[in-house]
Amino acid sequence: QVQLVESGGGLVQAGGSLRLACVATGTIISIKSMGWYRQAPGKQRELVAVMPTGSRANYADSVKGRFTGSRDNAKNTVYLEMNSLKPEDTAVYYCNTQARRGWNSPYEDYWGQGTQVTVSS
């Protein structure tokens, strides 16, 4: 099994910064992508940033220029640096990876348990 463990959420004032981290553990042969999604109360889960292996990061328009995603492939870890935070960034942030556990296995989606980010005005 593949587990994702997130850290770094919390409460911050508008204009502040937070850094999220997520490490993937378990039997992992290869990773296709790692990224972050978020879900605000009453809303659907949405993409924040995705970092495909060997490709540039893609960001939601709402976070471009403020959030930066990065990966440490040696540690199967993904980060999200969030600057100039706004109250509308308040949500539960979920780490995601598309990984496979064997060379003959398909890539599957795995999710972390989520970490709360709250931005006060």
Side-chain angles (χ1 to χ4, degrees), residues 19 22-24 31 34 51 69-79:
R19 186 181 192 231
C22 171
V23 58
I31 290 176
M34 298 189 80
M51 278 67 71
S70 61
R71 287 174 57 180
D72 184 335
N73 294 328
K75 297 180 179 179
N76 287 343
T77 300
V78 62
Y79 303 94

Side-chain angles (χ1 to χ4, degrees), residues 48 57-68 86:
V48 177
N58 294 309
Y59 299 93
D61 288 342
S62 60
V63 306
K64 283 180 181 177
R66 301 188 297 121
F67 291 11
T68 303
K86 304 175 181 180

Side-chain angles (χ1 to χ4, degrees), residues 8-20 65-68 80-86 89 117-120:
L11 173 65
V12 64
Q13 289 187 333
S17 299
L18 282 175
R19 186 181 192 231
L20 305 182
R66 301 188 297 121
F67 291 11
T68 303
L80 185 67
E81 188 75 35
M82 304 184 292
N83 298 314
S84 302
L85 282 160
K86 304 175 181 180
D89 294 317
V117 171
T118 303
V119 184
S120 63

Side-chain angles (χ1 to χ4, degrees), residues 36-38 46-50 58-60 63 67 80 93:
W36 294 92
Y37 290 71
R38 67 186 181 186
E46 62 176 3
L47 171 72
V48 177
V50 62
N58 294 309
Y59 299 93
V63 306
F67 291 11
L80 185 67
Y93 284 69

Side-chain angles (χ1 to χ4, degrees), residues 82-98:
M82 304 184 292
N83 298 314
S84 302
L85 282 160
K86 304 175 181 180
E88 50 263 44
D89 294 317
T90 296
V92 177
Y93 284 69
Y94 295 92
C95 175
N96 167 268
T97 186
Q98 292 184 324

